[in-house]
Amino acid sequence: MASATSSARSAEASPAVPHAVLANAIRALAMDAVEKAKSGHPGMPMGMADVATVLFTKFLKFDPEKPDWPDRDRFVLSAGHGSMLLYALLHLTGYPAMTMAEIERFRQLGSATPGHPEYGHTPGVEMTTGPLGQGFATAVGMALAERLMAARFGAELVDHLTYVIASDGDLMEGISHEAASLAGHLRLHKLIVLYDDNQISIDGPTSLSFSDDTAARFRAYGWNATAIDGHDPKAIETAIAAAQKSDRPSLIACRTTIAYGAPTKAGTAASHGAALGEKEILGAREKLGWPHAPFQLPKDVLAAWRVAGARGAEPRRAWEARLGRADAKPEFERIAAGRLPVKWADAIAAAKQKFAAEKKTIATRQASGDVLEFLAGAVPELFGGSADLTGSVNTKPKNFAHVKAGDFAPRYAYYGVREHAMAAAMNGLALHKGAIPYGGTFLIFMDYLKPALRLSALMRQRVIYVLTHDSIGLGEDGPTHQPVEQLASLRATPNVLVFRPADAIETAECWQLALDHADGPSALALTRQGVPPLRTTATGENLCARGAYVVAPADNARVTLIATGSEVSVALGAREILARNGIAASVVSMPCWELFERQDAAYKESVMPRGTLKVAIEAAVRLGWDRYIGDGIFIGMDGFGASAPIADLYRHFGITAEAVAQAASARLKR
Ligand SMILES: Cc1ncc(C[n+]2csc(CCOP(=O)(O)OP(=O)(O)O)c2C)c(N)n1
Ligand SMILES: [Mg+2]
């Protein structure tokens, strides 16, 4: 890891101000900000102040003037409840946006200092944390992204570390087990986790619920694990320096005292998540030897911290000069900015032409795989993967190899049976920049990854979820595998585009829209079973872009049949039956509710005209559909599915053209 930046990593902050005083500045800001807000978590920042001080003054490569510098080290505060630790560090090291006024406005509306760190809101915050375990797992994705970018652009342009502060809660959460196992397998040696081993969580001492040998656990995953006194700056420095040289990911268990310095609450759960109180804070000031008023920092202390914050400016400028000389500069900048290549959409047009020419009945999961064959060449930053269902979800283009320890040139990850870690890693890949991640599993197992998907949405990250086997249409595997409530759950989640294409051409169009959706995740719900082609000409226009459109019009329609995915062909069948009975019905394919909601009233009215009977058909629960059908009819599922051949299931649950036509005719006669 010899690079132009390694010397800066070990620069002394300022010998004039001792380590303990630098760390106490963090402790004071944390307890005072929480006290003023009358809410927050003082214990963790006070306990981890020593570790964070060593990391930020001696190792972390960053530049407050350029928080987005691509080759900066990443720092993830996985235990997001300790947000004041991060805000104090950002202020002390000189991030312009993190003024003392913002520290004083901790947890107030519109401040740069919300209760938990929020990505996109506060410069220097690498991701939104708070849901325990997510930061740890997302950092694995960031460390993977670093390897992918380094493989592509070389160590001259990409050579940085990913640091995490994780708590007991982070390591108890299931996702940490998945993610640690994956990181060990891939030997992501530039990942360094500083574990706040304070033996306290909310209910009390961790001995109430936790007796893991954490170091042994991580060693078993293939990590390098050490344990230190987290209040000994020399030990911290030695451990981080050793971790930097490790050929494996590293866990440093830092034994700390929560709320270090608080006279009666230190070492107890009472300091975890509440203001310490005036008396306790006075006592802490005395114990720590910090006589200064709240929010007052002595000049020399702030100056010493600012020296530490300025360490990165020179390496950052040197890096910019290297980029300036690099042939790969335009491509690096394009990918780092998340801009798609010019003409990438030609790949979508080509896929549509192929589907139009073939006019085949195929599953939309297969169509998706075909689209990816076209996209693989056109979008070099596209990075795929699956949670052990590659062959079923069709996520691996033929010429994609898979990444493995020591080989990060390939563009595919076998994530193993680890849906949750896959989704969090995809968040890390997207946040880091350099890869546009997509990953596949069955739609039913969306629930296994939902907390990470929710963060994709909250952080507005372009992560594409390929979710196949999207209904009872998967047949014999039965109700454990048949999603019914998952579409409603996804549609209820803000910032997510949920696509359920009806045929191959719609699948290509939905992929285009997902890639264009640069400020949020997309979910593609795809069939296991074949669906007939609805669209047989490759229109230049992306008809799915409006969310819903008329696939089969009718003059003087009395009925509007609205369907998604595999049920659009059910609607078309019903339309024919109704026509034979003298009832005109139009059919609307509605691949994406969210995009339809963005259309103007006139367009919406043209697709779903007032005065027609609305019938929605979707092999899932009704929740949400009432918005479109008014007092019309819903044909779908009202409970779990069953194990049987597909045709029997659709008949059994009454999702057939005949049932739809009959329900519509009966209603019109009433
Ligand atoms: C997924 C999740 N579950 C529960 C919580 C609520 N919560 C916040 S902190 C915490 C545990 C506190 O213990 P630890 O992680 O060791 O932090 P410490 O008290 O040592 O700072 C819990 C359960 C959460 N933030 N995320
Ligand atoms: Mg703890």
Side-chain angles (χ1 to χ4, degrees), residues 118 125 136 331-332 395 430 565 659-660:
E118 293 180 22
V125 170
F136 177 95
E331 183 69 350
F332 185 94
T395 39
V660 171

Side-chain angles (χ1 to χ4, degrees), residues 44 81 130-132 167-170 173 198 200-202 258 272:
M44 188 278 210
H81 59 274
L132 289 166
S167 64
D168 297 304
D170 282 306
E173 285 292 348
N198 64 12
I200 290 289
S201 64
I202 292 181
I258 191 169
H272 159 84

Side-chain angles (χ1 to χ4, degrees), residues 75-424:
F75 171 73
V76 174
L77 184 73
S78 190
H81 59 274
S83 57
M84 264 313 303
L85 177 72
L86 182 50
Y87 301 151
L89 289 161
L90 296 179
H91 174 71
L92 291 167
T93 55
Y95 282 76
M98 190 55 74
T99 60
M100 189 62 93
E102 293 300 319
I103 301 276
E104 291 197 49
R105 295 210 305 134
F106 182 49
R107 293 187 156 231
Q108 304 310 304
L109 192 65
S111 73
T113 48
H116 293 83
E118 293 180 22
Y119 178 78
H121 183 77
T122 309
V125 170
E126 298 284 5
M127 70 169 290
T128 299
T129 51
L132 289 166
Q134 293 292 335
F136 177 95
T138 303
V140 171
M142 292 180 182
L144 173 58
E146 193 268 354
R147 293 289 74 206
L148 299 176
M149 287 285 271
R152 181 139 183 219
F153 293 102
E156 281 284 289
L157 294 185
V158 185
D159 179 11
H160 55 265
L161 291 143
T162 302
Y163 293 95
V164 181
I165 286 184
S167 64
D168 297 304
D170 282 306
L171 298 193
M172 284 191 235
E173 285 292 348
I175 190 173
S176 78
H177 295 249
E178 293 183 21
S181 165
L182 181 62
H185 175 75
L186 292 174
R187 289 205 175 223
L188 297 174
H189 69 280
K190 294 172 86 175
L191 175 64
I192 299 177
V193 176
L194 300 154
Y195 162 39
D196 180 15
D197 183 12
N198 64 12
Q199 299 178 304
I200 290 289
S201 64
I202 292 181
D203 279 353
T206 48
S207 58
L208 293 172
S209 60
F210 191 49
S211 41
D212 293 11
D213 179 343
T214 298
R217 169 188 157 202
F218 276 78
R219 279 187 207 113
Y221 292 138
W223 288 51
N224 158 50
T226 54
I228 59 166
D229 173 354
H231 297 299
D232 175 351
K234 273 276 160 269
I236 299 164
E237 188 176 347
T238 308
I240 296 176
Q244 286 192 343
K245 294 194 194 82
S246 168
D247 62 347
R248 303 152 175 249
S250 295
L251 179 91
I252 304 172
C254 309
R255 176 57 53 80
T256 67
T257 302
I258 191 169
Y260 181 94
T264 71
K265 295 187 177 174
T268 75
S271 70
H272 159 84
L276 294 177
E278 222 172 293
K279 201 165 146 236
E280 186 78 4
I281 289 179
L282 276 177
R285 287 195 137 70
E286 187 140 332
K287 227 172 145 61
L288 294 168
W290 185 268
H292 319 292
F295 307 109
Q296 298 296 314
L297 295 170
K299 274 207 179 76
D300 63 328
V301 176
L302 186 60
W305 266 110
R306 293 291 156 93
V307 168
R311 284 181 305 121
E314 195 280 318
R316 189 258 301 167
R317 278 192 291 269
W319 178 87
E320 283 169 352
R322 291 199 297 280
L323 179 67
R325 291 190 298 270
D327 293 341
K329 181 173 188 270
E331 183 69 350
F332 185 94
E333 288 182 333
R334 182 187 72 73
I335 290 180
R339 273 195 313 273
L340 290 164
V342 283
K343 297 212 173 175
W344 73 275
D346 290 357
I348 298 292
K352 285 167 76 171
Q353 265 149 25
K354 167 188 149 86
F355 296 141
E358 291 177 353
K359 299 184 180 40
K360 278 204 291 210
T361 289
I362 58 170
T364 54
R365 64 172 168 147
Q366 188 192 328
S368 170
D370 292 352
V371 172
L372 281 169
E373 294 289 350
F374 286 95
L375 285 174
V379 185
E381 64 272 36
L382 207 55
F383 183 83
S386 170
D388 201 45
L389 287 168
T390 296
S392 299
V393 297
N394 298 317
T395 39
K396 189 164 173 291
K398 280 184 203 73
N399 68 355
F400 273 20
H402 64 278
V403 291
K404 39 182 146 351
D407 181 13
F408 295 95
R411 294 169 58 192
Y412 195 80
Y414 285 122
Y415 288 107
V417 193
R418 301 186 186 98
E419 294 82 7
H420 204 177
M422 171 175 78

Side-chain angles (χ1 to χ4, degrees), residues 423-440:
M426 291 200 292
N427 283 339
L429 289 164
L431 285 162
H432 180 281
K433 297 190 169 47
I436 298 178
Y438 68 91

Side-chain angles (χ1 to χ4, degrees), residues 482-524:
Q482 292 161 351
V484 290
E485 76 279 28
Q486 282 64 30
L487 287 170
S489 163
L490 284 167
R491 287 170 180 152
T493 311
N495 303 345
V496 185
L497 293 185
V498 185
F499 294 103
R500 191 164 187 251
D503 74 351
I505 287 184
E506 278 201 3
T507 304
E509 293 185 342
C510 291
W511 258 108
Q512 179 172 23
L513 296 165
L515 277 165
D516 264 335
H517 184 42
D519 60 352
S522 297
L524 295 160

